[in-house]
Amino acid sequence: MATTLAPPFRADFATMAGAQTKSRIKAWGGLVALGLLAACDVFMPVEPVLTPKVRPAGLVPPPVPDVQATSQESAALRAYLAQVQSSQLTAGLLRQDGGGPDTPFTSDMLARNFEEIVFFNEYAGPGIRPGSSSALRRWSEPVRIGIEFGASVPPSQRTRDTNDVIAYARRLSRATGHPVSVSNNPNFLVFFVSEDDRTETLNARATDLSGVNRINLGPVRDLPTDAYCAVAAYASGPERSTYTAAVAVIRSENPDLLRLSCIHEELAQGLGLANDSPDARPSIFNDDDEFALLTDHDVHLLGMLYDDRLRPGIGLTEARPIVRTLAREVTEPGL
């Protein structure tokens, strides 16, 4: 019988100092072959064949290791997370099909899920009660994503994660109709860091973002051991509903699919889909981890969130009839 492992645990952090935070418990690849350039064979009947001298060791760059040295704690975490992913796949979780005939949803279901994910708070914080409603939050300016790696992340993993973020940013931009791209001038930083280098890397780079400091960075920097990834979105303005910066943290110890799952969920939640709902299906915004990657249902949520008929700061009562209309438009085209 397969060992049952604890599923990824998600925990929302409250809005603190203008930050809405959310966590999920859920390079050239390979070695570079180096060598000496072999001399061409030339027929020289009189002169002896000359063998080139070996290049001094100091002039030969060492190969870049694809597996970096890590602490025992990080290595143990990597092994555990690999077991979690294997166990979930065996159980039929972490689906990558976007939903299908077995996961139908109506316009009423989509509208209900949108309301729960966008307008409600899962966890408490200063002035916030669990389950209380809040205003709609999203970005107004273009989202510019920067990618940062801890020193322990090997080259092949850096390449894979970079390509995954670039591809997903394009998908998010298409889904929302809002500019989302990878940039050298970021306002949304995504960190792939291990237990060994997370604190140092975030303290050094995340505080470069406007409005981010070591205090309000704490919930994503100081991850509990059972959190696989997290995101904090920082809002400006008196109503705290327009995001101007965000920080996502993804444990590099996660195996490939769990890391990709974290990319999909944390970046989407950093755009404004901040809550989870046990009723949302097919969706990554559900703690059951049935789906690893963004679903068709979730693409509709993103499009609705950034529709011009809604705005940052709008409350649920005012938004409800608009949300119902948007849900019907995407599920019942032509009506």
Side-chain angles (χ1 to χ4, degrees), residues 191-213:
F191 289 85
F192 296 89
V193 284
S194 74
E195 193 68 13
D196 300 336
D197 51 40
R198 184 180 66 253
T199 298
E200 178 183 1
T201 306
L202 265 71
N203 282 343
R205 290 289 293 117
T207 52
D208 291 344
L209 296 178
S210 176
V212 180
N213 56 58

Side-chain angles (χ1 to χ4, degrees), residues 44-48:
M44 302 177 66
V46 177
E47 298 294 331

Side-chain angles (χ1 to χ4, degrees), residues 32 36 48 92 121 123 127 295:
V32 179
L36 298 175
N121 300 296
Y123 288 85
T295 66

